Amino acid sequence: NYTYFLNSTVIGNTTIGELLLEPQICTNWSTQRGFEVYPNLVYDPTFILETAADEQCTSQCTSTEDAPETVCLSGVTNNLHGFVEGTWNKTGAVGPVFGMPEYSTFVEAENITLYMWNYAEVTPVFPEWIITDTSMAESIALRENGSYFGVYGLCQSMTNSPADCQGGWNLYFIHGWFHDETVVVEEGVCPFVNDTGASVDWPEYVCIDDTFRPNLPPSYYYGAWIQTTHHPLMDEWGLTTNYPVYFKPANPLIDWDIILLHNDYYGTWEFWEALGFSAYCPLNYGESFADCVQWVGWNGAWYEDFVIDDENCTEANLITFAPTPAPTEACTALQAFVNVVTVAANLSVVAAHTPESAQALFPPYSYELPQTELVLLNAAVDDACDATQISTNISGKVVLLFEDVGSCSDHYKVLVAEQNGAAAALLARISGSPDVQPIVDDNEVNTSIPVRAISFAQAEGYADAINARGYRVMISFACF
């Protein structure tokens, strides 16, 4: 039983004295209904508080049963906490106050150890089993030093074992604690769970039908997606999975690939592309992404109109570029231009324009470049004139070079960039130059990547967009 007090508060010149509050008096409770990304409290006529005898409360909230050596946690509804599922084993550690045991489990996907123990061992006024990535001993030391640690989930009780906790498990996500009524902690080892999707007959193609979304190009996800086992975007973002991967190739509507893959750590299906993460399925509807009926964008907006067809999709549904003819004399560097698209973190296009540019007087003399990210060298660690002194990852990117930075020729800077995997280069002319002149050949080196010259002022603007504003600048070379 608990007694609640509203302490003395001064409002204007009026003092509200101590007022005894009994929560069972309240009959209009609002509760969180199920798991939602954003809290949505609604009136709940089934939620009732009643007084109970001390012995009845004690019998419901405590236990004297011996704690088992292992427990199995399962049934997490939201995939964002799927990593806490599995078998937990006693570590041998017990609490200094009540002697309750500590359990742990190793999450291989992220190479971390999670712990489950009762917070009453740290602060007796908070009897609750918690899930955290900090051991009981480490947590006690942190609290003694006035520091804190993160908690993924909790179940309120003073039971000797988490398997006896009847208070229900609450998982933390963004704005607060969400009760997940399907979570179960039971004595024993979890049965083997196939986490590779082997039981699903994965099709070669899947089709997605969705409507236009604000801040995204029309038909962003629309069309056929191809099954593969690996995609270069996974290397760029450090992504791994035991499941098949699907990708939508660059096309006339979207100039870059997008991938759909299973995050084995969280258990979520997620969309990724060159600009980063864009959407995911937070709730566990089944083993396949086709079972997900509610997708969430990077900004928390629900995408409820996704239709994923994994039965009637073929190669004919692919949206692709028309075959690109081999370069001819008519498509030369003299007729090429630079197209620049600046994109914010929310994928909205901030600016798009075609700056004045000039060709290089050395090969290649004909080229086209699909939309590719622009990167800057770090003056503190990169030497544009030494191929062994480039620490910034410029592989597969367009690198921005400056005429007045470095002790070598402009053409040699292009060679250094090419030796470090750059796909192309932009060379900024010296500050104050009245016009953009072609890049001369020093006749000392040979290069094969396309390069074009732009003004110093334009280059400064791109550098500011990347460094100061956190934007991504995408570059393409095309021919008139």
Side-chain angles (χ1 to χ4, degrees), residues 73 81 116-117 119 126-132 151-157 165 167-172 177-180 183:
L73 190 155
H81 290 89
M116 185 189 303
W117 46 272
Y119 194 61
F126 292 111
E128 51 199 26
W129 284 94
I130 64 172
I131 298 173
T132 176
V151 175
Y152 297 113
L154 61 85
C155 182
Q156 296 174 322
S157 80
C165 182
W169 284 89
N170 299 276
L171 305 175
Y172 191 85
W177 297 98
F178 296 85
H179 176 63
D180 192 336
V183 173

Side-chain angles (χ1 to χ4, degrees), residues 69-80:
E69 292 297 316
T70 61
V71 294
C72 172
L73 190 155
S74 62
V76 176
T77 300
N78 82 85
N79 282 333
L80 294 178

Side-chain angles (χ1 to χ4, degrees), residues 79 200 202 269 281 283-295 306 308-311:
N79 282 333
V200 177
W202 300 101
W269 284 97
C281 180
L283 303 184
N284 189 3
Y285 292 97
E287 195 169 10
S288 169
F289 50 78
D291 299 320
C292 182
V293 296
Q294 285 188 312
W295 293 82
F306 261 65
I308 299 182
D309 183 356
D310 59 349
E311 296 180 356

Side-chain angles (χ1 to χ4, degrees), residues 41-384:
L41 297 175
V42 296
Y43 171 64
D44 186 352
T46 66
F47 189 91
I48 301 173
L49 287 183
E50 296 179 344
T51 58
D54 290 345
E55 59 272 14
Q56 182 178 352
C57 284
T58 301
S59 64
Q60 292 179 346
C61 302
T62 63
S63 75
T64 58
E65 297 291 331
D66 291 336
E69 292 297 316
T70 61
V71 294
C72 172
L73 190 155
S74 62
V76 176
T77 300
N78 82 85
N79 282 333
L80 294 178
H81 290 89
F83 61 93
V84 304
E85 292 187 328
T87 299
W88 296 68
N89 299 290
K90 273 185 177 179
T91 66
V94 295
V97 181
F98 301 100
M100 287 182 280
E102 174 187 70
Y103 293 84
S104 72
T105 188
F106 181 69
V107 183
E108 185 175 357
E110 287 295 307
N111 194 33
I112 65 170
T113 299
L114 299 179
Y115 298 90
M116 185 189 303
W117 46 272
N118 201 296
Y119 194 61
E121 302 290 359
V122 176
T123 306
V125 295
F126 292 111
E128 51 199 26
W129 284 94
I130 64 172
I131 298 173
T132 176
D133 58 3
T134 310
S135 70
M136 187 191 308
E138 292 172 330
S139 302
I140 292 173
L142 287 171
R143 293 300 294 125
E144 289 176 348
N145 294 328
S147 301
Y148 295 88
F149 54 91
V151 175
Y152 297 113
L154 61 85
C155 182
Q156 296 174 322
S157 80
M158 273 294 290
T159 55
N160 290 340
S161 165
D164 294 327
C165 182
Q166 303 298 314
W169 284 89
N170 299 276
L171 305 175
Y172 191 85
F173 182 66
I174 300 181
H175 299 281
W177 297 98
F178 296 85
H179 176 63
D180 192 336
E181 61 185 14
T182 65
V183 173
V184 177
V185 177
E186 300 175 301
E187 179 179 351
V189 177
C190 290
F192 173 76
V193 177
N194 187 333
D195 62 354
T196 65
S199 61
V200 177
D201 184 14
W202 300 101
E204 183 177 1
Y205 299 94
V206 296
C207 287
I208 296 180
D209 187 9
D210 72 310
T211 58
F212 172 73
R213 311 187 181 291
N215 298 321
L216 289 179
S219 300
Y220 192 79
Y221 297 106
Y222 177 81
W225 297 63
I226 310 170
Q227 184 190 146
T228 184
T229 56
H230 186 80
H231 191 279
L233 280 172
M234 297 171 64
D235 298 328
E236 181 174 346
W237 292 104
L239 304 171
T240 60
T241 183
N242 291 320
Y243 284 66
V245 178
Y246 286 83
F247 76 97
K248 178 183 177 181
N251 57 77
L253 300 176
I254 306 295
D255 286 348
W256 54 82
D257 286 9
I258 311 175
I259 62 173
L260 170 62
L261 86 167
H262 184 267
N263 185 321
D264 294 347
Y265 175 57
Y266 288 115
T268 52
W269 284 97
E270 301 172 351
F271 287 99
W272 289 79
E273 33 96 351
L275 301 175
F277 159 83
S278 62
Y280 69 100
C281 180
L283 303 184
N284 189 3
Y285 292 97
E287 195 169 10
S288 169
F289 50 78
D291 299 320
C292 182
V293 296
Q294 285 188 312
W295 293 82
V296 181
W298 66 271
N299 60 353
W302 288 100
Y303 294 169
E304 298 186 359
D305 52 357
F306 261 65
V307 178
I308 299 182
D309 183 356
D310 59 349
E311 296 180 356
N312 305 297
C313 190
T314 67
E315 184 178 4
N317 299 107
L318 283 173
I319 303 174
T320 61
F321 286 110
T324 302
T328 65
E329 291 185 1
C331 186
T332 66
L334 284 172
Q335 297 173 305
F337 63 90
V338 178
N339 187 52
V340 182
V341 178
T342 304
V343 183
N346 65 358
L347 307 183
S348 61
V349 175
V350 177
H353 73 121
T354 300
E356 180 185 2
S357 66
Q359 79 279 13
L361 301 179
F362 48 82
Y365 298 118
S366 297
Y367 48 76
E368 290 188 36
L369 177 75
Q371 198 169 67
T372 307
E373 184 181 2
L374 180 69
V375 294
L376 311 175
L377 295 180
N378 185 338
V381 296
D382 296 325
D383 185 346

